[in-house]
Amino acid sequence: MGTYRYPAEFRADAVALVHSSDRPVSRIAEELGVNAETLRQWVKKAADTAEHSQSSPPAVAAPARSAKDTEITRLRRQVRELEMERDILRRAAKYFAKETNW
């Protein structure tokens, strides 16, 4: 089997999807058509890069939230995740459509 190089933008979007999702990496990789170990390596490399470049002060504790606020936050996160998935799949479809000569 040969190696395949994915565009940097696709890799970054896939890593962002892993970080914003509660689903396992293997499932996300399957949905994106990427080897699960490849996606894990992308996530690890992004984490290492972020760790070296980040030197921010400690975060301030958030105030207590009501159940309604928590639900709204969860739903907004889910909407962001779904929008990101849609955008990634659109870009992947465009990219792979260019490769085929249909």
Side-chain angles (χ1 to χ4, degrees):
M1 292 189 176
T3 4
Y4 185 79
R5 302 253 335 170
Y6 293 92
E9 184 179 3
F10 180 78
R11 291 191 307 260
D13 288 344
V15 169
L17 182 59
V18 169
H19 288 300
S20 69
S21 175
D22 294 332
R23 293 175 293 155
V25 173
S26 58
R27 186 166 179 197
I28 294 172
E30 181 182 329
E31 291 171 0
L32 294 175
V34 176
N35 184 306
E37 192 56 36
T38 301
L39 183 54
R40 280 189 188 91
Q41 291 298 320
W42 294 348
V43 171
K44 184 178 185 298
K45 184 176 180 182
D48 290 345
T49 303
E51 185 177 295
H52 291 300
S53 66
Q54 186 180 29
S55 58
S56 61
V60 177
R65 295 184 172 188
S66 69
K68 193 175 193 179
D69 291 338
T70 305
E71 180 70 6
I72 290 171
T73 303
R74 185 187 67 78
L75 291 172
R76 285 183 178 158
R77 186 179 313 124
Q78 185 178 9
V79 167
R80 268 195 320 270
E81 177 183 332
L82 292 171
E83 288 173 342
M84 191 179 307
E85 285 177 5
R86 181 199 61 206
D87 292 343
I88 290 171
L89 292 173
R90 278 186 184 166
R91 288 186 200 128
K94 280 185 192 177
Y95 181 79
F96 289 118
K98 288 179 187 176
E99 287 187 355
T100 59
N101 294 324
W102 290 12

